[in-house]
Coordinates of all heavy atoms in Angstrom, one line a residue:
A76 N 131.6 93.2 122.8 CA 132.5 94.2 122.3 C 134.0 93.7 122.3 O 134.8 94.4 121.8 CB 132.4 95.5 123.0
S77 N 134.3 92.6 122.9 CA 135.7 92.2 123.1 C 136.2 91.5 121.9 O 135.6 90.7 121.3 CB 135.8 91.2 124.4 OG 135.1 90.1 124.1
A78 N 137.5 91.9 121.6 CA 138.3 91.3 120.5 C 137.6 91.2 119.2 O 137.8 90.3 118.4 CB 138.7 89.9 120.9
N79 N 136.9 92.3 118.9 CA 136.1 92.3 117.6 C 137.0 92.6 116.4 O 136.9 92.1 115.3 CB 135.0 93.3 117.6 CG 133.8 92.8 118.4 OD1 133.8 91.7 118.9 ND2 132.8 93.6 118.5
L80 N 138.0 93.4 116.7 CA 139.0 93.7 115.5 C 139.8 92.4 115.2 O 140.0 92.1 114.1 CB 140.0 94.8 115.9 CG 141.1 95.1 114.9 CD1 140.4 95.5 113.6 CD2 141.9 96.3 115.4
E81 N 140.2 91.7 116.3 CA 140.9 90.4 116.0 C 140.0 89.5 115.3 O 140.5 88.7 114.4 CB 141.4 89.8 117.4 CG 142.5 90.6 118.1 CD 142.0 91.8 118.8 OE1 140.7 92.1 118.8 OE2 142.9 92.6 119.3
F82 N 138.7 89.5 115.6 CA 137.8 88.6 114.9 C 137.7 89.0 113.4 O 137.7 88.1 112.6 CB 136.4 88.6 115.6 CG 135.4 87.7 115.0 CD1 135.4 86.3 115.2 CD2 134.5 88.2 114.0 CE1 134.5 85.5 114.6 CE2 133.5 87.4 113.4 CZ 133.5 86.0 113.7
I83 N 137.6 90.2 113.1 CA 137.5 90.7 111.7 C 138.8 90.3 111.0 O 138.7 89.8 109.8 CB 137.4 92.2 111.7 CG1 136.0 92.6 112.2 CG2 137.6 92.7 110.3 CD1 135.8 94.1 112.5
K84 N 140.0 90.4 111.6 CA 141.2 89.9 110.9 C 141.2 88.4 110.6 O 141.7 88.0 109.6 CB 142.4 90.4 111.8 CG 142.6 91.9 111.9 CD 143.8 92.2 112.7 CE 144.1 93.7 112.8 NZ 145.3 94.0 113.7
K85 N 140.7 87.6 111.6 CA 140.6 86.2 111.4 C 139.6 85.9 110.2 O 139.8 85.0 109.4 CB 140.1 85.5 112.6 CG 141.1 85.5 113.7 CD 140.6 84.9 115.0 CE 141.6 84.8 116.1 NZ 141.1 84.3 117.4
C86 N 138.6 86.7 110.1 CA 137.6 86.5 108.9 C 138.4 86.8 107.6 O 138.2 86.1 106.6 CB 136.4 87.4 109.1 SG 135.2 87.0 110.4
E87 N 139.1 87.9 107.6 CA 139.9 88.3 106.4 C 140.8 87.1 106.0 O 141.0 86.7 104.9 CB 140.7 89.5 106.7 CG 139.9 90.8 106.7 CD 140.7 92.0 106.7 OE1 141.5 92.2 107.6 OE2 140.6 92.8 105.7
S88 N 141.5 86.5 107.0 CA 142.5 85.4 106.8 C 141.7 84.2 106.2 O 142.4 83.3 105.6 CB 143.3 85.1 108.0 OG 142.5 84.6 109.0
A89 N 140.4 84.0 106.5 CA 139.7 82.9 106.1 C 139.2 83.0 104.6 O 138.6 82.0 104.1 CB 138.6 82.6 107.0
M90 N 139.3 84.2 104.0 CA 138.8 84.4 102.7 C 139.7 83.7 101.7 O 140.9 83.6 101.8 CB 138.9 85.9 102.3 CG 137.8 86.7 103.1 SD 136.1 86.4 102.7 CE 136.0 87.2 101.1
P91 N 139.0 83.1 100.7 CA 139.8 82.4 99.6 C 140.6 83.4 98.8 O 140.4 84.6 98.8 CB 138.7 81.8 98.7 CG 137.4 81.8 99.5 CD 137.6 82.9 100.5
R92 N 141.6 82.9 98.1 CA 142.5 83.7 97.3 C 141.7 84.4 96.3 O 140.7 83.9 95.7 CB 143.6 82.8 96.6 CG 144.6 83.6 95.9 CD 145.7 82.7 95.4 NE 146.3 81.9 96.4 CZ 147.1 81.0 96.2 NH1 147.5 80.6 95.0 NH2 147.7 80.3 97.3
A93 N 142.0 85.7 96.0 CA 141.4 86.5 95.0 C 140.0 87.1 95.4 O 139.3 87.8 94.7 CB 141.2 85.8 93.6
H94 N 139.6 86.8 96.7 CA 138.4 87.4 97.3 C 138.8 88.2 98.4 O 139.8 87.9 99.2 CB 137.5 86.3 97.7 CG 136.8 85.6 96.6 ND1 135.6 85.9 96.0 CD2 137.3 84.5 95.8 CE1 135.3 85.0 95.0 NE2 136.3 84.2 94.9
R95 N 138.0 89.3 98.7 CA 138.4 90.1 99.8 C 137.1 90.7 100.5 O 136.1 90.7 99.9 CB 139.3 91.3 99.5 CG 138.6 92.3 98.5 CD 139.6 93.5 98.2 NE 139.9 94.3 99.4 CZ 139.4 95.5 99.6 NH1 138.7 96.1 98.7 NH2 139.8 96.2 100.6

Side-chain angles (χ1 to χ4, degrees):
S77 64
N79 284 358
L80 177 57
E81 290 77 6
F82 181 80
I83 293 169
K84 291 179 178 179
K85 289 178 182 178
C86 288
E87 285 188 303
S88 67
M90 290 292 287
R92 185 177 303 174
H94 291 264
R95 69 179 292 251

